[in-house]
Amino acid sequence: MAAPLVLRNVRKSFTMHLRGGIEIPVVDGVDFQAEAGTCTVLGGPSGIGKSSILKMIYGNYGVDGGQILINHAGTTMDLASAEPRTVLDIRRRTLGYVSQFLRTVPRVSALDIVAEPLVRTGTPAKAARGNASALLNRLNLPQELWDLPPATFSGGEQQRVNIARGFITSHPVLLLDEPTASLDARNRKVVVAMIREKKANGVALVGIFHDADVRDAIADTVIDVSSFTARKAA
Amino acid sequence: MTTTDQPLLSVAGVTKYYGDRMGCADVSFDLWPGEVLAVVGESGSGKTTLLNCISSRLRPTRGSVHYAMRDGQSRSLFEMGEAERRFLMRTDWGFVHQNPADGLRMTVSAGANVGERLMAVGDRHYGRIRGTAIDWLGRVEIAADRIDDQPRAFSGGMRQRLQIARNLVTAPRLVFMDEPTGGLDVSVQARLLDLVRGLVSDLDLSIIVVTHDLAVARLLSHRMMVMKDGHVIETGLTDRVLDDPREPYTQLLVSSILQV
């Protein structure tokens, strides 16, 4: 069976029109694939384009060249050229993403933020909240916070809400952008266990982890992103 | 959002001239069921002209707008009779104005403002109309004991929520919104946006929202169109347009957002 996520010769640069139109190359010739049941780690120093690759896969960043092929409901789709509504459908059913920071919505409780991806795919609200509670509990988020909007939470608390939201679905492909960066050792262990469960369930994970302990515990393949760098040697 | 193979609204080549002056030109897009589309741009960019054209409040100089009726038939708006178009406006569509006074009747009660649209679709049972009105006031967080008050006695935020209830009570499939949070305090804005977000997912509504506020677009919309000088200059998934803007003008807009 083909890998659930394949990147072929992906290229990205930014044109800064407000800076006289200078072009900032980011990555070029990105080629790798993420196999089901494995965790592919993007490695390399800061600023080399690791987060940009995840954002291109998720669709936050446009792609200048190449293909990002994903197996969506039995069909291979190219995320690099897909229509917005196709990308949204892929996100809803196939592709999950734990971003570096939680984007909070005024007035929506932590529990509902976590439950939302399930509710959107048709799970009844009560069952979705039940799953959300179990995840927040596992991530040791104090129960008195569950009904509050996370805007005032600490960085680590917001990140755990974000992780729970990303892990609540059973999407076959999951992107992780430094999910453990602001967590203490105890919660890092929980996240490592959760990632192992995803692998056991056949999920293809692609992630960025600066913490060597976490990386060593979960990585099956490490891709050196500096080999894709489009920047001239400084 | 459901995945169907027919767009709800198909806009092709819509152009509007006011005499010699161009309002908007060559705008084409499809809107799908359950989709929220934000049209952003500064004052004078043509976004309100566009909204008025595609909601049939203004006849474009050129171009066509097709709407998928409930029976699945695609109909051209400007080839419909006036009566049929008005019926569509009262039942299957909603229009939320920036100024609630433009969309409400200020001298009849809140309950009547909501009930009136039900009567327009043929409901005649007073008790049921009042019951539905109370239910909708509750959904937009207006206390039931305010049902007999006139909107004149309401705050700006309450009036806007009442306007939304009046529009949604007939279960429309498509709602047009023109700067819905325009004149409101930020705390009131947040409440309104959260309310609209909830209603969109509960009712599987399609919305076209015109706003100059990129935060509103980020929070509410799936897809964005950026307008400048009457033309659509950039379009795409909302977070793609905001995180990776391509056009010089979009980059300027995004870089001008004040961070708090």
PDB file of all heavy atoms in Angstrom, chain B residues 12-26:
ATOM      1  N   ALA B  12     -20.890  34.647 -11.665  1.00  0.00           N
ATOM      2  CA  ALA B  12     -20.032  34.639 -12.857  1.00  0.00           C
ATOM      3  C   ALA B  12     -19.951  36.028 -13.483  1.00  0.00           C
ATOM      4  O   ALA B  12     -20.959  36.594 -13.890  1.00  0.00           O
ATOM      5  CB  ALA B  12     -20.567  33.632 -13.880  1.00  0.00           C
ATOM      6  N   GLY B  13     -18.761  36.571 -13.473  1.00  0.00           N
ATOM      7  CA  GLY B  13     -18.482  37.830 -14.183  1.00  0.00           C
ATOM      8  C   GLY B  13     -19.282  39.030 -13.724  1.00  0.00           C
ATOM      9  O   GLY B  13     -19.598  39.915 -14.531  1.00  0.00           O
ATOM     10  N   VAL B  14     -19.619  39.073 -12.432  1.00  0.00           N
ATOM     11  CA  VAL B  14     -20.469  40.181 -11.966  1.00  0.00           C
ATOM     12  C   VAL B  14     -19.696  41.502 -11.985  1.00  0.00           C
ATOM     13  O   VAL B  14     -18.608  41.622 -11.440  1.00  0.00           O
ATOM     14  CB  VAL B  14     -21.053  39.881 -10.565  1.00  0.00           C
ATOM     15  CG1 VAL B  14     -21.577  41.154  -9.909  1.00  0.00           C
ATOM     16  CG2 VAL B  14     -22.162  38.858 -10.673  1.00  0.00           C
ATOM     17  N   THR B  15     -20.281  42.470 -12.678  1.00  0.00           N
ATOM     18  CA  THR B  15     -19.676  43.786 -12.866  1.00  0.00           C
ATOM     19  C   THR B  15     -20.755  44.829 -12.618  1.00  0.00           C
ATOM     20  O   THR B  15     -21.884  44.675 -13.078  1.00  0.00           O
ATOM     21  CB  THR B  15     -19.170  43.929 -14.321  1.00  0.00           C
ATOM     22  OG1 THR B  15     -18.209  42.899 -14.559  1.00  0.00           O
ATOM     23  CG2 THR B  15     -18.543  45.293 -14.568  1.00  0.00           C
ATOM     24  N   LYS B  16     -20.404  45.871 -11.870  1.00  0.00           N
ATOM     25  CA  LYS B  16     -21.388  46.933 -11.639  1.00  0.00           C
ATOM     26  C   LYS B  16     -20.747  48.301 -11.867  1.00  0.00           C
ATOM     27  O   LYS B  16     -19.723  48.620 -11.257  1.00  0.00           O
ATOM     28  CB  LYS B  16     -21.913  46.842 -10.195  1.00  0.00           C
ATOM     29  CG  LYS B  16     -22.834  47.974  -9.784  1.00  0.00           C
ATOM     30  CD  LYS B  16     -24.170  47.892 -10.515  1.00  0.00           C
ATOM     31  CE  LYS B  16     -25.031  49.117 -10.220  1.00  0.00           C
ATOM     32  NZ  LYS B  16     -26.262  49.096 -11.044  1.00  0.00           N
ATOM     33  N   TYR B  17     -21.339  49.051 -12.785  1.00  0.00           N
ATOM     34  CA  TYR B  17     -20.930  50.440 -12.997  1.00  0.00           C
ATOM     35  C   TYR B  17     -22.003  51.363 -12.450  1.00  0.00           C
ATOM     36  O   TYR B  17     -23.191  51.128 -12.654  1.00  0.00           O
ATOM     37  CB  TYR B  17     -20.738  50.706 -14.491  1.00  0.00           C
ATOM     38  CG  TYR B  17     -19.376  50.288 -15.002  1.00  0.00           C
ATOM     39  CD1 TYR B  17     -19.172  49.004 -15.499  1.00  0.00           C
ATOM     40  CD2 TYR B  17     -18.304  51.166 -14.958  1.00  0.00           C
ATOM     41  CE1 TYR B  17     -17.926  48.604 -15.945  1.00  0.00           C
ATOM     42  CE2 TYR B  17     -17.052  50.777 -15.402  1.00  0.00           C
ATOM     43  CZ  TYR B  17     -16.865  49.495 -15.895  1.00  0.00           C
ATOM     44  OH  TYR B  17     -15.623  49.109 -16.326  1.00  0.00           O
ATOM     45  N   TYR B  18     -21.584  52.404 -11.764  1.00  0.00           N
ATOM     46  CA  TYR B  18     -22.501  53.498 -11.415  1.00  0.00           C
ATOM     47  C   TYR B  18     -22.183  54.609 -12.401  1.00  0.00           C
ATOM     48  O   TYR B  18     -21.229  55.360 -12.201  1.00  0.00           O
ATOM     49  CB  TYR B  18     -22.246  53.994  -9.991  1.00  0.00           C
ATOM     50  CG  TYR B  18     -22.437  52.952  -8.910  1.00  0.00           C
ATOM     51  CD1 TYR B  18     -21.345  52.286  -8.364  1.00  0.00           C
ATOM     52  CD2 TYR B  18     -23.706  52.650  -8.420  1.00  0.00           C
ATOM     53  CE1 TYR B  18     -21.511  51.339  -7.364  1.00  0.00           C
ATOM     54  CE2 TYR B  18     -23.875  51.704  -7.420  1.00  0.00           C
ATOM     55  CZ  TYR B  18     -22.776  51.058  -6.900  1.00  0.00           C
ATOM     56  OH  TYR B  18     -22.945  50.126  -5.907  1.00  0.00           O
ATOM     57  N   GLY B  19     -22.933  54.672 -13.493  1.00  0.00           N
ATOM     58  CA  GLY B  19     -22.561  55.608 -14.555  1.00  0.00           C
ATOM     59  C   GLY B  19     -21.208  55.193 -15.114  1.00  0.00           C
ATOM     60  O   GLY B  19     -21.046  54.062 -15.563  1.00  0.00           O
ATOM     61  N   ASP B  20     -20.240  56.085 -15.046  1.00  0.00           N
ATOM     62  CA  ASP B  20     -18.898  55.772 -15.547  1.00  0.00           C
ATOM     63  C   ASP B  20     -18.031  55.120 -14.488  1.00  0.00           C
ATOM     64  O   ASP B  20     -16.980  54.564 -14.785  1.00  0.00           O
ATOM     65  CB  ASP B  20     -18.175  57.067 -15.990  1.00  0.00           C
ATOM     66  CG  ASP B  20     -18.777  57.613 -17.265  1.00  0.00           C
ATOM     67  OD1 ASP B  20     -19.468  56.836 -17.963  1.00  0.00           O
ATOM     68  OD2 ASP B  20     -18.569  58.815 -17.539  1.00  0.00           O
ATOM     69  N   ARG B  21     -18.457  55.221 -13.245  1.00  0.00           N
ATOM     70  CA  ARG B  21     -17.595  54.776 -12.158  1.00  0.00           C
ATOM     71  C   ARG B  21     -17.825  53.290 -11.896  1.00  0.00           C
ATOM     72  O   ARG B  21     -18.960  52.831 -11.776  1.00  0.00           O
ATOM     73  CB  ARG B  21     -17.904  55.588 -10.897  1.00  0.00           C
ATOM     74  CG  ARG B  21     -16.844  55.506  -9.818  1.00  0.00           C
ATOM     75  CD  ARG B  21     -17.129  56.551  -8.750  1.00  0.00           C
ATOM     76  NE  ARG B  21     -18.480  56.418  -8.208  1.00  0.00           N
ATOM     77  CZ  ARG B  21     -18.824  55.514  -7.298  1.00  0.00           C
ATOM     78  NH1 ARG B  21     -17.938  54.675  -6.815  1.00  0.00           N
ATOM     79  NH2 ARG B  21     -20.071  55.451  -6.862  1.00  0.00           N
ATOM     80  N   MET B  22     -16.718  52.550 -11.781  1.00  0.00           N
ATOM     81  CA  MET B  22     -16.833  51.116 -11.577  1.00  0.00           C
ATOM     82  C   MET B  22     -17.000  50.806 -10.088  1.00  0.00           C
ATOM     83  O   MET B  22     -16.259  51.333  -9.251  1.00  0.00           O
ATOM     84  CB  MET B  22     -15.563  50.456 -12.125  1.00  0.00           C
ATOM     85  CG  MET B  22     -15.603  48.953 -12.145  1.00  0.00           C
ATOM     86  SD  MET B  22     -14.514  48.283 -10.930  1.00  0.00           S
ATOM     87  CE  MET B  22     -12.960  48.546 -11.770  1.00  0.00           C
ATOM     88  N   GLY B  23     -18.005  49.977  -9.760  1.00  0.00           N
ATOM     89  CA  GLY B  23     -18.189  49.537  -8.368  1.00  0.00           C
ATOM     90  C   GLY B  23     -17.421  48.255  -8.119  1.00  0.00           C
ATOM     91  O   GLY B  23     -16.617  48.151  -7.202  1.00  0.00           O
ATOM     92  N   CYS B  24     -17.662  47.250  -8.987  1.00  0.00           N
ATOM     93  CA  CYS B  24     -16.876  46.020  -8.921  1.00  0.00           C
ATOM     94  C   CYS B  24     -16.846  45.430 -10.320  1.00  0.00           C
ATOM     95  O   CYS B  24     -17.701  45.732 -11.142  1.00  0.00           O
ATOM     96  CB  CYS B  24     -17.452  45.021  -7.909  1.00  0.00           C
ATOM     97  SG  CYS B  24     -19.073  44.378  -8.316  1.00  0.00           S
ATOM     98  N   ALA B  25     -15.826  44.616 -10.600  1.00  0.00           N
ATOM     99  CA  ALA B  25     -15.669  44.119 -11.972  1.00  0.00           C
ATOM    100  C   ALA B  25     -15.248  42.662 -12.005  1.00  0.00           C
ATOM    101  O   ALA B  25     -14.355  42.247 -11.260  1.00  0.00           O
ATOM    102  CB  ALA B  25     -14.648  44.972 -12.729  1.00  0.00           C
ATOM    103  N   ASP B  26     -15.932  41.902 -12.872  1.00  0.00           N
ATOM    104  CA  ASP B  26     -15.534  40.530 -13.206  1.00  0.00           C
ATOM    105  C   ASP B  26     -15.357  39.631 -11.992  1.00  0.00           C
ATOM    106  O   ASP B  26     -14.351  38.927 -11.884  1.00  0.00           O
ATOM    107  CB  ASP B  26     -14.222  40.534 -14.023  1.00  0.00           C
ATOM    108  CG  ASP B  26     -14.423  41.194 -15.374  1.00  0.00           C
ATOM    109  OD1 ASP B  26     -15.517  40.995 -15.944  1.00  0.00           O
ATOM    110  OD2 ASP B  26     -13.505  41.907 -15.834  1.00  0.00           O
TER     111      ASP B  26
END
